[in-house]
Amino acid sequence: SGQASVPIHVSRRKFVHYTSLIAGLSGFSAVTPQVNASENVEKRNIIAVPLSPIAPFSTTRTYRTIILANGLQVVLVKDSQAHRSSVALTIEGAGQFSDPEELPGLAHLMEHIVLSSNSGGKAKAMQRKARRIWNDDKYMTDSKYSNEKIDNAAGEEDFEDWLADNEGDSNGFTAPGFVCFHFNGPHEILPEGLERFSRLFTIDAIETTVKEYPYKIPREIKRVDSELDRASDQSRAFYWLKSRFTNLQHPFSRLGAGSRETLQVNPSKEGIDVRPFLLKFFRKHYVASKATLVVIGKEEVRTLDRWISSFSNVMSQSTNSARVCTEQPSFPEAIVNKGRSTKGATQAIILRSKEDAQYDEDIQTLCMEWPLSLTYTRDRCDSRQAPTQHVITAPAVGFVLSQMIARRGPGSLRYFLDKFGWIPKGGTRGLPRISFPVDVSGFQVIRVEIGLTNEGFANRSAAIAAVFESIRTILSTPLQRDLMKQYLAAAWLHGYFFAPRAPDAISLAVDAQRYGIGGNGGIAVQGNWHLMPSPSDDKCADKMKEIITDTLKIMSDEEAAIISLRASSKAIFQFSGGLIDQKISTSPLLKPWRVERVTNARYLLENRAYGGSSYFKSLYWFSGTFDGEKMTPPYLNPLIPTVFRAPRPVLERQTAWGGRRYFYLEDANASEIPQKSIVGLKLTNQNIWSELQLSQTLEVDYKDSRILWRLWQIPPSYVGLIGLPLPMRPPESTIECAFVVQLISELPSQLTSNQIALANLWLLSFDDEILDLVGQ
């Protein structure tokens, strides 16, 4: 098929360099442009970047989607601003949750084996000799050959060695639902890099590696084991959480990361040969029709198209190339052991590791987790196209919940925790943080973490009660669509409009598995941000409201929560006893302390104090009686718009015209671009260009509770102070104003270490100044 003409619109970086965006870039019209992309993905389908009024990132890209003969989905991206070429390959269904029960971590080991394969190269004499003397019965235990001496002596140049010699870099990671491989390097090595990269995924290369290079298996098992994080507090919390899932049929209950114990010691005891399992796993799960390849380079997409021809023969050549219906997976019951005793609910106290990079003996962490079952569906299960309805994922839900639970100001959870001295003053360590330690379609775990002071740890049961009270307060009034749209608008403003660069190859390859490709909302479609639905989409706003309400109901159930506290030895032995919580006096080396098997973290299950809720409510009552402060549900903030006006290019009139004057494009959808003439820039259509008035004020219209803002622009050459007219304050009176200033200059092609250091120091100092300003 032919190449479509691709109009290039204004670089986002250059545009923002000429403007300051006050109060969120909102305005009178907010129609997100729709891209007319074919519903059916063609064998050679051009998805061109249009001249769009919504221009995030630096959109000078051209996209092409291809489905190869083996079913492999390919996204080719021409990016004229890319400093290096990059490639990523994701394979759905080849992640940790596909491990066989008897070999946890096999998917992770498979990732290592793929990257360590000889890429189809011919065996050298030393390697043939090594194989002849190899004893297959001892290959998993004989340390004489379980190192890299044979590999190095053989002189075989594998993919990673070749890439390193050419200033490139590669890696991979195994997630619960998929595996991802990626590499990057100078543009000139991309053709050969793609050829070598494709060889890693042929069944011949895997069979050769597993059968003729058996010493690589124990070597890679050792590397898998070395990647297991046993020291950080986050890792300790994660593996303690996994230990709560007592149903071994549930994939989350197993050690998906893998270790020497699960991949070598235990299989050896049970007489299990790992090699046939690796080959079976590759044939079953490394299926081309489940994979997505993304290539980003400076060359035209038709050139990139020629360079990927070798991928037509990669991975398992399954006769059934139809996409397996994995969008609605079925997980067995988790049978979560929340630690409930005959005396009531319990919570775990996990002894913190001093090796943790964030270790602070005076800051403890409250962690509350709940299993969820959000399902990410497509219109047709066998389709690679994006669904007509936006997919609402766990990160989107987490963002909205964070706006509710972690908000600041009177009536918020943070306000009361701070007032009682249970969280650190200032900064963000006491701010509730929401994350998802595991997130696949059909199964997620949502986590809320709050940093506590030693006083907060002493009153931990009351702090837990405060969290539940705040959730119930949010549910006390029905959620409104406009509130959802406001949160979506805030997400788009910071994550999409102000994104400093376009998505990289890894992001595109991962997003393709979840959101699809093309269609109305998949990757490679301009005007979409996959993480969040558009605030102008009423149906998605209503769907988000429904999902948020259901999630909050789950979180309000104290019986459903899995609760732990990561605490230092100082906090445990000096501050564990409060007015209602019992003091801990037993050494962690003695019972009833227990040991988590993976990280060897010591933890204690204690009964949650019955008086925790009563104690918090008494403090809360006093606060409401004497200070008039009560927990309140979140408000609509009039400073945050629910609609956006698209950004408009600004044109500075040249001095030759008799003085500096500035013009902006009044109609964001207009495509009339000024043309150069002998005397300089000339406006070809006076009706769509308006002159910028520096005295223009910020206008606010409260009709129908919708805020409409005008774009307030400050030319780059303007000198002096400009007053900032403010609308009325929102109900949370601590918020005086909301404004966004983006300072972006074009990055040089290469940054020195000194330049990077200075830039980061400037950013840190800027953050400190803003925080000081907010504190005043």
Side-chain angles (χ1 to χ4, degrees):
S1 63
Q3 171 82 22
S5 60
V6 183
I8 303 301
H9 58 276
V10 178
S11 165
R12 180 66 181 158
R13 295 183 188 178
K14 291 183 178 179
F15 166 64
V16 177
H17 180 70
Y18 285 90
T19 59
S20 291
L21 308 182
I22 309 299
L25 251 184
S26 47
F28 302 109
S29 62
V31 180
T32 302
Q34 297 295 324
V35 178
N36 295 324
S38 173
E39 290 296 327
N40 299 317
V41 178
E42 301 173 356
K43 293 296 180 180
R44 292 292 188 273
N45 179 27
I46 297 291
I47 302 178
V49 178
L51 182 64
S52 168
I54 294 185
F57 319 123
S58 292
T59 45
T60 55
R61 284 185 165 188
T62 305
Y63 292 86
R64 171 181 284 180
T65 62
I66 301 169
I67 298 179
L68 300 182
N70 58 356
L72 176 66
Q73 179 83 61
V74 182
V75 179
L76 304 176
V77 184
K78 176 199 172 183
D79 188 343
S80 59
Q81 296 181 351
H83 298 304
R84 292 164 68 87
S85 294
S86 56
V87 177
L89 177 71
T90 54
I91 307 170
E92 186 179 12
Q96 297 175 6
F97 279 11
S98 297
D99 284 339
E101 292 183 31
E102 57 268 52
L103 285 173
L106 187 71
H108 189 188
L109 177 60
M110 186 77 256
E111 171 215 319
H112 280 249
I113 293 298
V114 169
L115 286 174
S116 67
S117 69
N118 69 336
S119 303
K122 295 182 179 180
K124 298 292 194 304
M126 180 62 184
Q127 291 169 317
R128 290 195 297 269
K129 182 178 179 181
R131 291 196 297 273
R132 283 197 301 269
I133 65 174
W134 196 262
N135 184 341
D136 285 350
D137 294 334
K138 317 192 287 180
Y139 84 98
M140 294 296 286
T141 57
D142 194 340
S143 60
K144 181 179 180 181
Y145 298 105
S146 60
N147 53 51
E148 301 182 32
K149 292 182 179 179
I150 296 177
D151 200 19
N152 294 335
E156 184 74 14
E157 185 183 49
D158 63 17
F159 175 71
E160 291 184 303
D161 289 338
W162 171 84
L163 199 59
D165 291 341
N166 288 275
E167 301 180 357
D169 182 56
S170 68
N171 211 330
F173 61 89
T174 306
F178 65 90
V179 65
C180 178
F181 302 88
H182 54 92
F183 79 90
N184 66 82
H187 294 297
E188 58 269 17
I189 72 167
L190 182 59
E192 185 177 356
L194 285 168
E195 172 70 24
R196 287 175 174 265
F197 189 58
S198 67
R199 295 181 203 163
L200 300 177
F201 303 97
T202 62
I203 186 64
D204 290 341
I206 300 302
E207 287 184 343
T208 300
T209 300
V210 171
K211 295 179 179 179
E212 300 187 22
Y213 300 83
Y215 59 87
K216 289 189 176 183
I217 296 177
R219 183 191 70 183
E220 296 307 321
I221 290 176
K222 182 178 180 180
R223 291 176 177 174
V224 166
D225 187 79
S226 68
E227 293 177 5
L228 195 60
D229 180 7
R230 294 180 171 90
S232 71
D233 283 339
Q234 285 288 342
S235 181
R236 289 180 168 218
F238 178 74
Y239 287 110
W240 178 83
L241 170 67
K242 289 175 74 70
S243 70
R244 301 297 91 191
F245 286 72
T246 55
N247 182 4
L248 298 182
Q249 301 299 316
H250 198 289
F252 186 62
S253 67
R254 302 191 286 268
L255 184 59
S259 66
R260 183 175 177 272
E261 181 182 7
T262 65
L263 294 170
Q264 185 169 342
V265 177
N266 291 344
S268 179
K269 291 179 180 178
E270 298 173 10
I272 297 176
D273 188 346
V274 177
R275 291 174 296 177
F277 279 88
L278 285 169
L279 294 175
K280 181 179 178 181
F281 189 91
F282 184 87
R283 291 191 179 98
K284 181 178 180 180
H285 298 291
Y286 277 60
V287 179
S289 60
K290 291 185 179 183
T292 300
L293 173 71
V294 176
V295 181
I296 300 179
K298 295 186 70 172
E299 293 75 13
E300 297 291 338
V301 289
R302 58 179 176 269
T303 303
L304 299 177
D305 192 345
R306 294 197 304 269
W307 293 349
I308 62 166
S309 59
S310 57
F311 284 89
S312 296
N313 299 311
V314 300
M315 288 182 275
S316 178
Q317 302 297 308
S318 175
T319 56
N320 179 18
S321 61
R323 186 177 184 82
V324 177
C325 191
T326 57
E327 280 71 30
Q328 300 194 35
S330 176
F331 289 96
E333 185 180 358
I335 315 181
V336 176
N337 176 11
K338 306 177 186 67
R340 185 168 183 83
S341 69
T342 56
K343 298 181 180 180
T346 63
Q347 56 216 21
I349 297 178
I350 304 173
L351 180 63
R352 294 192 62 185
S353 168
K354 293 184 179 180
E355 298 179 16
D356 184 80
Q358 303 296 323
Y359 181 80
D360 185 337
E361 65 178 1
D362 293 319
I363 303 295
Q364 323 313 323
T365 302
L366 168 62
C367 181
M368 305 173 68
E369 295 163 306
W370 298 263
L372 302 178
S373 55
L374 299 175
T375 301
Y376 313 140
T377 59
R378 296 201 179 116
D379 294 338
R380 285 175 41 228
C381 194
D382 61 347
S383 173
R384 302 301 296 270
Q385 288 290 91
T388 54
Q389 191 76 11
H390 195 287
V391 178
I392 295 179
T393 60
V397 173
F399 178 87
V400 173
L401 288 174
S402 69
Q403 305 303 301
M404 296 178 167
I405 298 174
R407 62 193 176 94
R408 305 167 186 257
S412 66
L413 169 64
R414 185 183 187 277
Y415 175 85
F416 284 97
L417 294 178
D418 181 63
K419 185 174 184 176
F420 300 151
W422 294 348
I423 61 175
K425 296 286 184 181
T428 60
R429 301 196 69 173
L431 199 66
R433 300 180 301 277
I434 295 179
S435 60
F436 291 84
V438 59
D439 174 21
V440 297
S441 180
F443 177 71
Q444 302 84 22
V445 174
I446 185 172
R447 170 185 290 171
V448 177
E449 289 183 305
I450 304 174
L452 299 179
T453 60
N454 289 328
E455 180 69 19
F457 179 71
N459 295 280
R460 51 196 174 276
S461 293
I464 292 169
V467 176
F468 285 115
E469 184 66 23
S470 71
I471 295 172
R472 287 190 285 265
T473 300
I474 296 173
L475 286 170
S476 62
T477 58
L479 300 179
Q480 301 299 314
R481 176 196 288 177
D482 282 348
L483 186 63
M484 293 297 105
K485 296 178 73 172
Q486 187 173 93
Y487 293 145
L488 296 179
W492 272 70
L493 179 66
H494 294 286
Y496 181 74
F497 283 111
F498 291 163
R501 58 184 57 86
D504 58 19
I506 300 174
S507 298
L508 288 173
V510 171
D511 285 349
Q513 297 290 356
R514 177 163 294 176
Y515 304 103
I517 297 174
N520 293 324
I523 69 166
V525 175
Q526 185 60 27
N528 271 309
W529 187 40
H530 307 105
L531 180 61
M532 301 294 291
S534 169
S536 62
D537 190 333
D538 289 347
K539 289 185 178 180
C540 277
D542 289 338
K543 184 64 176 178
M544 177 67 78
K545 180 181 67 173
E546 177 186 337
I547 293 176
I548 292 295
T549 301
D550 291 343
T551 303
L552 286 170
K553 288 179 180 178
I554 294 173
M555 297 173 67
S556 67
D557 182 3
E558 298 190 33
E559 296 294 322
I562 308 170
I563 300 177
S564 63
L565 296 104
R566 305 194 296 276
S568 65
S569 57
K570 175 182 176 180
I572 292 173
F573 297 113
Q574 296 182 30
F575 296 95
S576 58
L579 291 177
I580 54 173
D581 286 286
Q582 297 296 315
K583 181 177 177 59
I584 300 171
S585 56
T586 308
S587 168
L589 299 176
L590 304 176
K591 293 183 177 180
W593 285 82
R594 309 179 187 184
V595 178
E596 192 281 312
R597 290 193 314 112
V598 177
T599 63
N600 293 323
R602 296 192 173 269
Y603 67 94
L604 173 70
L605 288 177
E606 65 168 8
N607 293 315
R608 194 175 311 157
Y610 277 118
S613 179
S614 300
Y615 180 53
F616 169 73
K617 288 182 178 179
S618 65
L619 294 175
Y620 178 65
W621 180 84
F622 278 106
S623 176
T625 302
F626 296 102
D627 298 338
E629 300 294 351
K630 294 183 178 180
M631 277 194 177
T632 58
Y635 289 103
L636 274 172
N637 188 337
L639 289 171
I640 299 179
T642 56
V643 293
F644 293 119
R645 180 171 187 170
R648 295 162 291 172
V650 176
L651 176 66
E652 181 176 343
R653 182 176 179 178
Q654 293 186 353
T655 308
W657 288 358
R660 290 182 178 273
R661 297 169 64 189
Y662 301 91
F663 298 85
Y664 62 90
L665 192 64
E666 179 60 35
D667 183 0
N669 293 298
S671 59
E672 190 73 35
I673 303 298
Q675 304 296 321
K676 286 188 176 182
S677 66
I678 297 176
V679 295
L681 291 174
K682 179 181 179 181
L683 302 182
T684 57
N685 187 335
Q686 298 288 351
N687 295 325
I688 63 173
W689 287 86
S690 300
E691 185 169 359
L692 174 66
Q693 302 295 326
L694 294 180
S695 60
Q696 175 182 337
T697 60
L698 192 68
E699 296 186 5
V700 181
D701 182 3
Y702 287 94
K703 183 183 297 184
D704 297 328
S705 300
R706 293 181 69 119
I707 314 303
L708 302 178
W709 301 78
R710 281 189 177 175
L711 187 65
W712 203 28
Q713 304 180 62
I714 304 174
S717 58
Y718 184 83
V719 178
L721 298 176
I722 298 179
L724 191 66
L726 298 175
M728 65 175 291
R729 297 187 301 185
E732 295 183 359
S733 57
T734 56
I735 303 176
E736 295 292 342
C737 67
F739 68 95
V740 179
V741 179
Q742 187 177 27
L743 307 174
I744 292 183
S745 60
E746 292 188 359
L747 293 174
S749 58
Q750 292 183 344
L751 288 176
T752 65
S753 57
N754 287 339
Q755 288 174 323
I756 294 175
L758 289 173
N760 282 291
L761 286 174
W762 184 88
L763 287 173
L764 291 173
S765 65
F766 182 77
D767 288 344
D768 290 340
E769 294 293 333
I770 292 298
L771 290 174
D772 290 342
L773 178 63
V774 173
Q776 297 172 4

